[in-house]
Amino acid sequence: MKVAICASEMVPFAKTGGLADVVGALPLKLETLGQDVIVVMPKYRCVQQPKFKIQRVKQGVSCSTVGNNVKVYFIENEAYFDRENLYGDKTGDYKDNLDRFVYFCRAALDLFAEINFRPDIIHVHDWQSCLIPVYLRTLYNDKPFYKNIKTLLTIHNIGYQGLFAKEEFPKLGLDWGLFHMEMLEFYGKVNILKGGMVFSDLINTVSATYSKEIQTKEFGFGLEGVLSKRKESVFGIINGLDYDIWNPETDKFIVQNYSIQDIKNKYRNKLNLQELCNLTPDQDVPLLGIVSRLAEQKGFDILSDAMEAICRMDIQMVILGTGDLKYHLLLEGFAKRYPKKFSLHLKFDDALAHKIYAGSDIFLMPSKYEPCGLGQMISLRYGTIPLVFKTGGLADTVNDTNGFVFDTYSKEDLIETVKAALKAFKGKKAWTALMQRAMQCDFSWKESARQYIRLYETARAR
Ligand code: ADP
């Protein structure tokens, strides 16, 4: 099958979040499963590095290769993409984001004909590439080259929709008839994600539970109605984890590699983390870890309320993260009051993240909603037991056999579940068995990539 993946970011070229990890890993797995894959993304400033060995294809398009022979095409436009960041700066989103991604989507569609790559499937991700399915069924509908091409839209987080003022609609080059509540209009604004949801052949999100949740008012951010109408076309596929990067047996950032066979070696990482964080080195005191954006979505509202109670328990805690200022200030307060128990790191630090995943006993991830979530999958891989709220991808990956789950989103339930985990931690033998079960879970890309191929086939059959 010929597959074109179009997205606004991809590891190793440009990354702001989990989308880049997915787009970095999926094409490589699809290639090993025998698919003919290309990727198309914008050529940002960060892409322009000699190490990427970029070659010119034609005016406005260049290209690099990943995996065995997956071509990554970069859409060039100095004015739009040669910037410090991908989507915006300290002052907010770039004002011309609609112009930028209209340009990207049209250039990507034109590219297929120019390089004579006629995809069976165009797989688009998030609002930035959502105009591709829209244009395919409108402006490109009568062009013979584009006949019968199917589209799949993956929604990574429905909270980000690409909303623009009505006055910007003419920039799309579409008939005003499409500014309609059944199409791109959303409460008087232009909603690009909605356009993608209406015009794509199939839609999926990054976990089965999240694909159901977003069809409800609570999680749908206003688009639940559009999704419910298309519920026969909405699917969920959990993201895989890059097992080359996240592997306790080979991880270069941790002091002691370990595996399920020599799980005791994990404790050398705990002692190292305790030293690094100015906590008393002690194998027996339960160490809770968090690596996260400090945002309400990640559960920091109930966690803030529960912090006092948790800090009074017989525990140690390490938090690594950046995000909302209010949580920075609040957590700094706790770090000052409980310096022997709580170590706070307000920064983005990949090396420390690896040390926390390896060195902690319990990984807290009480997200209010979670499309997929990587933190819990990483912690499972490292034998660090996740404690999560039952939502989205967390509900699909953590259960009573490999972690601790609470199902009412409240500080009380969070505190009770922490207590239950601490009690379980005391039973050494059962805890070791729990760690082993956690490490046995398989969230590699292999199975998820197979599911994507099946979804592409479903789209082709429609
Ligand atoms: P998100 O919604 O932020 O994408 P995920 O759980 O899907 O949440 O992925 C977050 C990824 O970013 C994980 O790999 C996590 O380890 C990493 N991460 C988050 N915050 C930090 C930080 N401050 N330093 C290092 N890594 C971080």
Side-chain angles (χ1 to χ4, degrees):
M1 210 173 344
K2 279 188 151 67
V3 183
I5 295 180
C6 301
S8 55
E9 48 185 277
M10 173 188 187
V11 165
F13 303 107
K15 169 169 174 172
T16 68
L19 164 65
D21 293 309
V22 174
V23 179
L26 178 61
L28 306 185
K29 267 284 169 273
L30 291 173
E31 182 186 46
T32 62
L33 294 170
Q35 309 302 316
D36 184 4
V37 191
I38 66 167
V39 183
V40 189
M41 67 172 278
K43 188 169 181 190
Y44 305 107
R45 188 174 297 165
C46 57
V47 173
Q48 300 167 29
Q49 297 181 42
K51 68 174 179 196
F52 293 138
K53 300 199 173 89
I54 293 173
Q55 290 176 345
R56 174 137 292 242
V57 174
K58 59 181 274 296
Q59 175 73 18
V61 182
S62 47
C63 163
S64 179
T65 305
V66 295
N68 195 20
N69 193 23
V70 174
K71 295 267 181 287
V72 181
Y73 290 92
F74 300 105
I75 301 299
E76 300 176 356
N77 183 315
E78 238 177 74
Y80 285 154
F81 301 126
D82 187 8
R83 298 188 187 175
E84 191 67 29
N85 300 308
L86 271 54
Y87 311 123
D89 53 26
K90 284 197 290 286
T91 61
D93 289 344
Y94 291 135
K95 299 278 174 279
D96 57 353
N97 270 348
L98 188 58
D99 308 75
R100 299 170 76 220
F101 289 102
V102 163
Y103 182 85
F104 169 68
C105 290
R106 294 212 55 163
L109 274 169
D110 291 338
L111 176 72
F112 301 138
E114 288 158 7
I115 59 171
N116 198 22
F117 184 93
R118 198 190 155 284
D120 297 300
I121 288 282
I122 305 177
H123 182 176
V124 303
H125 297 259
D126 283 352
W127 77 262
Q128 290 87 351
S129 45
C130 267
L131 287 168
I132 291 174
V134 176
Y135 288 144
L136 196 65
R137 297 282 175 263
T138 54
L139 305 182
Y140 290 68
N141 200 35
D142 295 330
K143 300 189 180 192
F145 181 85
Y146 296 87
K147 268 227 148 13
N148 288 325
I149 297 178
K150 302 292 181 175
T151 50
L152 167 67
L153 162 63
T154 300
I155 301 171
H156 294 259
N157 187 335
I158 203 163
Y160 300 92
Q161 305 183 348
L163 278 175
F164 298 93
K166 179 181 178 181
E167 290 66 41
E168 293 202 61
F169 185 78
K171 291 178 175 173
L172 304 183
L174 294 168
D175 193 286
W176 268 107
L178 272 81
F179 189 74
H180 182 281
M181 61 179 281
E182 297 289 323
M183 300 200 179
L184 285 122
E185 194 250 349
F186 184 75
Y187 299 104
K189 290 191 164 179
V190 186
N191 186 323
I192 304 297
L193 184 69
K194 184 178 175 187
M197 286 162 54
V198 170
F199 283 93
S200 296
D201 291 295
L202 296 181
I203 300 164
N204 83 294
T205 68
V206 287
S207 70
T209 298
Y210 190 62
S211 76
K212 302 273 182 316
E213 287 173 342
I214 57 173
Q215 296 180 47
T216 67
K217 197 164 178 342
E218 193 184 348
F219 295 97
F221 283 86
L223 290 176
E224 58 276 7
V226 186
L227 282 165
S228 296
K229 268 194 197 146
R230 298 214 54 201
K231 62 170 179 285
E232 307 301 320
S233 305
V234 180
F235 298 83
I237 298 180
I238 195 91
N239 288 336
L241 191 64
D242 190 329
Y243 273 18
D244 293 331
I245 296 175
W246 301 107
N247 184 352
E249 291 181 46
T250 54
D251 194 323
K252 298 249 177 333
F253 291 113
I254 63 179
V255 287
Q256 175 71 59
N257 291 120
Y258 60 98
S259 69
I260 197 159
Q261 279 79 31
D262 53 19
I263 216 162
K264 281 205 174 70
N265 283 339
K266 175 173 165 58
Y267 287 108
R268 294 206 28 207
N269 295 297
K270 177 170 177 178
L271 297 177
N272 174 254
L273 181 63
Q274 287 167 322
E275 272 167 28
L276 215 83
C277 295
N278 285 325
L279 302 170
T280 312
D282 182 347
Q283 197 171 305
D284 293 326
V285 62
L287 177 49
L288 313 183
I290 292 184
V291 181
S292 177
R293 282 186 287 120
L294 306 183
E296 197 178 306
Q297 185 218 320
K298 296 293 179 184
F300 278 87
D301 50 353
I302 57 169
L303 186 67
S304 304
D305 294 341
M307 270 304 274
E308 184 66 45
I310 294 174
C311 285
R312 287 187 186 175
M313 297 177 196
D314 184 19
I315 52 115
Q316 294 176 342
M317 191 170 186
V318 180
I319 296 186
L320 167 65
T322 56
D324 294 355
L325 186 62
K326 70 171 174 183
Y327 296 125
H328 284 218
L329 299 174
L330 194 132
L331 292 172
E332 273 172 338
F334 283 107
K336 279 203 188 100
R337 283 178 37 221
Y338 295 97
K340 293 207 167 108
K341 285 187 155 182
F342 176 36
S343 172
L344 179 65
H345 307 264
L346 297 171
K347 58 179 174 177
F348 194 95
D349 184 338
D350 201 26
L352 182 57
H354 282 252
K355 290 181 169 53
I356 294 174
Y357 286 116
S360 308
D361 298 300
I362 297 164
F363 188 75
L364 290 189
M365 195 162 171
S367 306
K368 181 177 271 178
Y369 77 91
E370 192 60 80
C372 173
L374 288 176
Q376 85 283 14
M377 295 200 266
I378 301 172
S379 72
L380 285 166
R381 179 93 166 126
Y382 283 73
T384 300
I385 305 305
L387 188 161
V388 306
F389 176 56
K390 190 175 182 179
T391 185
L394 298 175
D396 292 351
T397 50
V398 184
N399 54 51
D400 293 346
T401 68
N402 64 3
F404 296 89
V405 184
F406 62 106
D407 57 12
T408 306
Y409 189 75
S410 70
K411 89 168 198 208
E412 289 79 16
D413 277 47
L414 171 58
I415 292 169
E416 283 314 305
T417 313
V418 171
K419 281 184 189 159
L422 299 185
K423 196 170 162 211
F425 180 76
K426 288 200 174 118
K428 285 281 169 254
K429 238 176 140 180
W431 190 264
T432 304
L434 178 59
M435 286 163 74
Q436 283 167 338
R437 283 199 298 279
M439 291 180 82
Q440 269 160 357
C441 298
D442 182 359
F443 297 112
S444 61
W445 262 106
K446 211 157 135 202
E447 178 49 29
S448 299
R450 287 210 171 99
Q451 289 185 33
Y452 270 108
I453 293 174
R454 285 202 283 278
L455 207 50
Y456 297 158
E457 276 159 3
T458 308
R460 285 181 77 191
R462 290 215 168 182

